[in-house]
Amino acid sequence: MKLGELVKNLDIISSNADMETEISGVSYDSRQTRAGELFVAVKGFESDGHRFIPKAMENGAAAVLCQDIPGDGTPYIQVADCRYGLAIASREFFGNPASEMKIIGFTGTSGKTSSTYIMKHMLETKFNAKVGLIGTNGNMIGDELLHSERTTPESYELQKLFRRMADAGCTHVVMEVSSHSLTLERVAGIEFDVAVYTNLSQDHLDLHGTMDEYAAAKRKIFSQCRAGCVNIDDERAAFMKVGAKCPIMTYGVDRNDADLTAKDVRLSASGVRFAAVKDGELALTKLAIPGMFSVYNALGVMAAGLSLGMSLADCADAMASAGGVKGRMEPVPTDGDYSIIIDYSHKPDALEKVLRTLRPVTRGRLIALFGCGGDRDRGKRPIMGEIAADNADLVVVTSDNPRTEEPMAIINEITAGLKNRRTPCKVICDRTEAIGWAIDNARPGDVILLAGKGHEDYQIIGHEKHHMDEREIVAQFLEKRKTGK
């Protein structure tokens, strides 16, 4: 592909490069740059890609996309934002594969992962579609599971994945769209067929600074989609609709002013039931995932289905056969009259929701075992301590991906939120040991919530990942207790 074709949709400030130059690829890591590629000098949080232009040229880069002009005669194209430039150049290099499929995006603090899996099931069931999925639990092409590092990949990897999905015959892609991806332009240049906003609560303030900026990042998605769906019960719903460049369908519970609403909601340990109502039409709906949040997830997915032309009856029918998601309210086998639930709830509102969901089905004590990730929003740590104390009968505070922070320092910030609370608290820094302690001290009827790790099968200590799967830990502990070895 010629350089001019690659950058034709960018606002070029200045350039000395020959636009007829043949470009063999796009890269943003000078260590991976190969001969003939366009190197994009991205300004990151920890390093500036402009520093590595000489290395990229040494490796054979044909030209550089940059914000600051190199002073040594290097062939360059100057743009205002290299993150945006990387996204657009990557899209052009792979032939805009997203335009060959229907793209459905879910954004919000909670509910994205479960919603994407339910949406994938709906599309496969009702449209007989081959569906790609991109998100926290991993990426999928149909039934093939692919490894992922981020909720939403960097723009180059995302466009490469879109191309792979399109070439594999995918007609639809369902993806989680994180606030990071919107802020850092990873999804720039993509036109979503449908975008769904689930909710907003405190998270990622290490990047956004304030809740207003966090909300503004989420709202960006409605400037690049054909149809939008917004949870009207969320306090930021009105804000999300301001400036939207597409029609917005609202959904909510028991709301006469919502376009799609859930009436007569019934909650149980086995799932949820409600009557979905749209324009006077009613469809009885059930989803085998317990909790009020499942009602909202179901409504968001149904709103997306309606936006794609599906009938309300078909949407409801698809809900009935949808299953659970790994690491989301996932039960784990035990050896007695107590229960263990694994859930990814690592944010304040998510922890509160899952504890409130489990409370009505807990005959004994509700035990909350959790920690907070290192090098992430510190402000939520005492808040999560308060939530655990207010909603559980026993709190076990432990580690959860401490990264480069001292684990006990994180724990001390969590336990600050438990001060002046009567709820008993046990601090065990080692997560494996903490799980064993919780099981050893379980009584009949107790429910132990292992919160924070969910689908993850690792623990990040320093900069390294160490294998740690809570399902394996529980099974190994029970086997050891059984055999005495």
Side-chain angles (χ1 to χ4, degrees):
M1 176 179 287
K2 293 186 184 300
L3 178 59
E5 288 295 305
L6 204 60
V7 299
K8 64 183 178 182
N9 288 308
L10 292 176
D11 292 328
I12 298 172
I13 299 172
S14 67
S15 173
N16 70 349
D18 180 358
M19 294 300 173
E20 293 298 309
T21 302
E22 286 290 340
I23 299 296
S24 61
V26 178
S27 68
Y28 59 95
D29 183 341
S30 62
R31 296 167 297 183
Q32 306 297 323
T33 301
R34 295 173 295 183
E37 291 187 336
L38 173 67
F39 174 69
V40 185
V42 174
K43 290 190 175 186
F45 294 109
E46 296 181 359
S47 63
D48 183 349
H50 290 75
R51 290 174 48 208
F52 305 105
I53 289 175
K55 178 63 176 177
M57 297 306 296
E58 181 184 321
N59 286 344
V64 170
L65 188 70
C66 57
Q67 291 170 222
D68 304 330
I69 299 174
D72 56 359
T74 297
Y76 73 88
I77 303 98
Q78 184 188 24
V79 294
D81 184 352
C82 277
R83 289 189 182 278
Y84 180 82
L86 175 63
I88 301 304
S90 298
R91 180 191 69 181
E92 300 305 323
F93 180 76
F94 287 107
N96 195 9
S99 67
E100 301 171 24
M101 303 173 286
K102 297 286 187 182
I103 310 295
I104 302 99
F106 287 82
T107 195
T109 305
S110 303
K112 297 188 297 297
T113 301
S114 294
S115 295
T116 54
Y117 276 82
I118 298 168
M119 188 80 219
K120 183 175 186 289
H121 170 79
M122 174 185 283
L123 293 169
E124 291 169 340
T125 302
K126 296 304 173 183
F127 284 165
N128 195 29
K130 184 170 185 178
V131 182
L133 182 143
I134 301 171
T136 307
N137 276 20
N139 304 324
M140 298 182 74
I141 299 177
D143 295 329
E144 180 187 1
L145 181 62
L146 312 173
H147 176 69
S148 65
E149 290 291 340
R150 297 186 175 110
T151 298
T152 312
E154 185 54 83
S155 57
Y156 175 82
E157 282 76 22
L158 179 59
Q159 293 293 338
K160 184 178 181 180
L161 182 58
F162 279 154
R163 172 45 62 203
R164 183 174 173 183
M165 290 176 169
D167 289 349
C170 289
T171 56
H172 296 71
V173 175
V174 183
M175 62 183 293
E176 298 181 46
V177 184
S178 67
S179 59
H180 282 69
S181 72
L182 288 158
T183 299
L184 302 179
E185 303 289 7
R186 293 177 192 158
V187 294
I190 299 168
E191 185 174 28
F192 293 89
D193 290 273
V194 185
V196 181
Y197 167 74
T198 60
N199 51 59
L200 198 79
S201 60
Q202 183 171 333
D203 197 29
H204 302 310
L205 296 191
D206 51 324
L207 171 67
H208 302 293
T210 67
M211 288 297 292
D212 286 343
E213 291 183 13
Y214 183 27
K218 294 290 188 186
R219 186 171 66 180
K220 283 182 65 176
I221 198 169
F222 294 117
S223 67
Q224 55 187 99
C225 62
R226 294 190 176 98
C229 308
V230 170
N231 172 10
I232 199 173
D233 289 342
D234 183 80
E235 63 179 12
R236 300 270 181 172
F239 177 82
M240 288 295 150
K241 294 190 288 181
V242 174
K245 296 180 180 179
C246 63
I248 299 289
M249 180 187 299
T250 59
Y251 64 90
V253 175
D254 248 351
R255 295 283 296 254
N256 292 326
D257 57 341
D259 297 311
L260 173 65
T261 189
K263 302 284 188 180
D264 192 25
V265 175
R266 305 292 177 89
L267 307 178
S268 72
S270 60
V272 298
R273 294 173 179 265
F274 60 91
V277 182
K278 174 77 165 64
D279 296 332
E281 182 184 356
L282 182 147
L284 297 177
T285 307
K286 61 180 180 179
L287 179 63
I289 306 174
M292 193 64 194
F293 59 85
S294 289
V295 177
Y296 283 100
N297 290 346
L299 285 174
V301 171
M302 294 174 78
L306 291 167
S307 298
L308 290 170
M310 200 175 294
S311 71
L312 185 65
D314 278 347
C315 289
D317 186 62
M319 292 296 106
S321 56
V325 180
K326 182 179 180 181
R328 266 65 176 181
M329 292 290 284
E330 177 187 353
V332 179
T334 68
D335 62 351
D337 184 21
Y338 64 96
S339 302
I340 297 176
I341 301 292
I342 292 176
D343 191 81
Y344 191 49
S345 42
H346 61 292
K347 306 163 188 172
D349 77 309
L351 182 62
E352 184 173 21
K353 285 177 182 175
V354 74
L355 287 171
R356 289 187 175 183
T357 295
L358 291 172
R359 171 57 69 191
V361 297
T362 301
R363 293 182 291 108
R365 299 172 303 167
L366 181 53
I367 302 170
L369 184 151
F370 74 101
C372 287
D375 303 331
R376 297 294 186 270
D377 181 11
R378 293 176 59 183
K380 72 179 183 181
R381 295 171 186 174
I383 296 172
M384 291 184 68
E386 292 175 3
I387 288 171
D390 291 345
N391 293 278
D393 301 303
L394 172 62
V395 177
V396 182
V397 183
T398 185
S399 290
D400 182 348
N401 295 335
R403 297 184 177 86
T404 64
E405 288 194 62
E406 174 58 42
M408 279 307 302
I410 299 172
I411 287 172
N412 289 337
E413 291 186 351
I414 296 171
T415 55
L418 283 96
K419 290 180 179 179
N420 303 319
R421 297 297 205 280
R422 294 184 178 181
T423 307
C425 174
K426 180 74 173 179
V427 172
I428 303 175
C429 189
D430 182 274
R431 194 174 182 100
T432 298
E433 183 182 340
I435 293 171
W437 184 90
I439 295 173
D440 261 346
N441 287 272
R443 302 171 186 169
D446 284 354
V447 174
I448 301 171
L449 170 66
L450 306 182
K453 300 299 293 178
H455 62 283
E456 294 179 352
D457 59 1
Y458 57 83
Q459 182 85 303
I460 304 175
I461 301 173
H463 295 287
E464 296 183 3
K465 284 186 178 181
H466 302 264
H467 181 75
M468 192 190 77
D469 189 319
E470 292 185 323
R471 299 151 198 78
E472 296 175 4
I473 291 172
V474 171
Q476 290 166 2
F477 187 86
L478 296 180
E479 180 62 24
K480 184 177 180 179
R481 190 158 73 173
K482 178 182 177 181
T483 63
K485 297 179 181 179

